[in-house]
Amino acid sequence: MTIIQQPAGEPGLPISPETMPPSTFKTRLIQVGPTRAIKLPSQAAAIARTGDVIEIDAEPYVGDVAVWTADNLTIRGVGDGRAKLLAAGQSAENKATWVIKGRNAFIANIEFAEAVATNGNGAGIRAEGINLTIVNCYFHDNQEGLLSALNTTTSRIDIENSEFARDGGNGGRSHEIYISNIAQLIVRGSYFHHGRVGHLIKSRAQRNLIAANRITDEAGGSASYEIDLPNGGLNIVIGNLIEQSALAQNSTLLENGLEGPINPIQQLYIVNNTFVNDLGRGDFIRIRAPTTAQVMNNIFIGGGNVLVGGGVLKNNLLTAGPGGSPHIEEPLFRTADIDESGTRFAVDAGLLDIRNYDYRLRPDSPAIGGGVDPGSAGPISLAPAVEYVHPVHWRPVSTSGRIDIGAYQYDAKPAPAAH
């Protein structure tokens, strides 16, 4: 699958032409709701066929679970708010509130909660079909938020402007999202928080783009890794807010390749993120050879090792936080080494309201003007071009040309619309 540049107005974000939303496949409209002829989403799933558009009224649907088998479906909540799929401890096929088996599903404006399966992996959505796009959805209080159960190099999952909260458990074997060895995962403009023992994001995909998200476990959250990329890959983590809570079950925020770097490409780019370690110890980034990380223009706050493994550290800002200040550790593997330059140290990172997870820069922040041009990863520019907007949104931005350190550029403005 070829990665190409996103159209103008969405710089730096790849999109694959094989997986555009299936609007061209519309054949009929199916409306679902308490006042409709079709009352339940499961009834719509039973009659849906290729290319249908299913509109679900924004009402609660308690204990209704479904398997969707048709291809090229658009399934969206309509009305005031989201359609609420409250599984109430149920799961279709003992797997999930919705099991998606069809190809190219596009799902928007749906809430998924309270899914339970006997194996402890009851998911809001279980993805078993090729290609899935999720937009403006809310997953919470499930045993697993999104579970991808298909290993294929022809599939892609996109998650945009969605929220995941209080999913997980199962002794750390279920997560907010768990993505299998597919071709590509893209996550942007989304909010992951208050994980339960498992990871906030775990992906075995061969390529991962994680851009402009808030991935913060927060007070009371007990997640393990914030980002777990256990098999490595071509991985770009850019413009994110990443925080580890004081109750974290594992002291690493981001790991890459620790279960075996078996994906065919092993490149890791960590650019213009803001990392906060409220645990006060452990590792911000931990990687396994042969991957070497390119770590540029990031803010690291709190005690812990910035990088365990090999790579390049360039123009990062290290500041004090719970348990002390970050430091550059000895490599995890003897064959690895770290090339460090341009590091800044400060007592205060100059963020607007760090206790309330507002990581925008104050006018006096030492991060302003401290960045360096990060270059590109193949055709993908790594320059700051997107930012997270709370809640659950992202926007493209443009700057005056100066590059700041961290997930926010101080003088960034919304980028002009493409024409």
Side-chain angles (χ1 to χ4, degrees), residues 335-359:
T335 57
D337 46 84
I338 295 173
D339 180 6
E340 179 270 325
S341 64
T343 302
R344 295 188 174 199
F345 299 89
V347 174
D348 180 7
L351 307 185
L352 278 176
D353 188 354
I354 191 171
R355 291 300 92 197
N356 290 303
Y357 314 102
D358 187 344
Y359 297 165

Side-chain angles (χ1 to χ4, degrees), residues 26-328:
K26 295 179 181 178
T27 56
R28 39 173 206 167
L29 175 64
I30 299 174
Q31 295 179 306
V32 179
T35 64
R36 310 285 187 181
I38 298 173
K39 307 296 184 186
L40 299 172
S42 59
Q43 295 170 338
I47 64 171
R49 65 190 186 206
T50 297
D52 283 348
V53 174
I54 294 90
E55 292 188 341
I56 305 174
D57 290 344
E59 301 287 347
Y61 302 87
V62 179
D64 187 65
V65 298
V67 178
W68 299 84
T69 59
D71 294 338
N72 305 322
L73 294 178
T74 296
I75 312 170
R76 60 192 179 214
V78 294
D80 186 11
R82 297 185 179 98
K84 296 176 171 58
L85 275 296
L86 309 177
Q90 303 300 308
S91 58
E93 296 187 340
N94 196 30
K95 294 176 180 177
T97 303
W98 282 2
V99 180
I100 307 295
K101 300 191 179 209
R103 301 167 60 95
N104 304 319
F106 184 90
I107 301 174
N109 306 326
I110 309 288
E111 179 177 335
F112 298 91
E114 304 170 1
V116 172
T118 56
N119 63 3
N121 285 323
I125 289 179
R126 183 178 173 108
E128 297 185 358
I130 302 291
N131 301 331
L132 174 64
T133 299
I134 295 171
V135 177
N136 191 33
C137 289
Y138 180 25
F139 296 77
H140 65 92
D141 299 290
N142 303 286
Q143 291 175 322
E144 193 116 33
L146 168 66
L147 173 59
S148 165
L150 184 69
N151 293 307
T152 175
T153 58
T154 62
S155 185
R156 159 177 155 160
I157 292 177
D158 290 85
I159 302 170
E160 184 164 347
N161 297 354
S162 294
E163 182 175 359
F164 295 79
R166 301 180 302 279
D167 301 300
N170 193 22
R173 293 184 294 274
S174 59
H175 316 284
E176 298 275 26
I177 65 171
Y178 184 12
I179 307 301
S180 53
N181 186 228
I182 60 172
Q184 185 173 356
L185 170 70
I186 294 178
V187 184
R188 56 184 176 179
S190 295
Y191 179 26
F192 299 81
H193 61 105
H194 292 96
R196 298 189 302 194
V197 184
H199 310 313
L200 296 183
I201 295 175
K202 180 166 186 171
S203 176
R204 300 183 186 276
Q206 296 191 4
R207 292 184 291 276
N208 296 279
L209 174 67
I210 301 172
N213 302 284
R214 176 168 160 175
I215 309 165
T216 53
D217 201 31
E218 303 182 17
S222 59
S224 292
Y225 300 129
E226 276 56 58
I227 300 175
D228 181 18
L229 307 171
N231 301 131
L234 172 54
N235 297 329
I236 299 172
V237 180
I238 184 168
N240 300 283
L241 317 175
I242 305 171
E243 180 262 354
Q244 178 173 251
S245 81
L247 299 177
Q249 300 294 298
N250 189 302
S251 60
T252 298
L253 281 80
L254 187 157
E255 77 86 10
N256 188 97
L258 292 192
E259 293 184 25
I262 60 175
N263 282 327
I265 300 175
Q266 293 293 323
Q267 298 177 16
L268 175 62
Y269 301 89
I270 302 173
V271 182
N272 278 102
N273 303 281
T274 299
F275 288 85
V276 179
N277 185 2
D278 285 325
L279 182 65
R281 59 180 174 80
D283 309 318
F284 288 92
I285 303 164
R286 189 176 182 91
I287 65 174
R288 185 182 184 92
T291 298
T292 58
Q294 304 291 313
V295 183
M296 297 174 280
N297 301 345
N298 300 281
I299 296 175
F300 296 96
I301 301 173
N305 310 314
V306 170
L307 174 62
V308 178
V312 174
L313 297 172
K314 188 179 293 185
N315 288 65
N316 298 287
L317 173 64
L318 281 57
T319 76
S325 299
H327 59 279
I328 299 170

Side-chain angles (χ1 to χ4, degrees), residues 398-411:
S398 60
T399 65
S400 61
R402 175 190 64 195
I403 296 178
D404 303 329
I405 302 174
Y408 289 103
Q409 301 297 292
Y410 178 70
D411 61 353

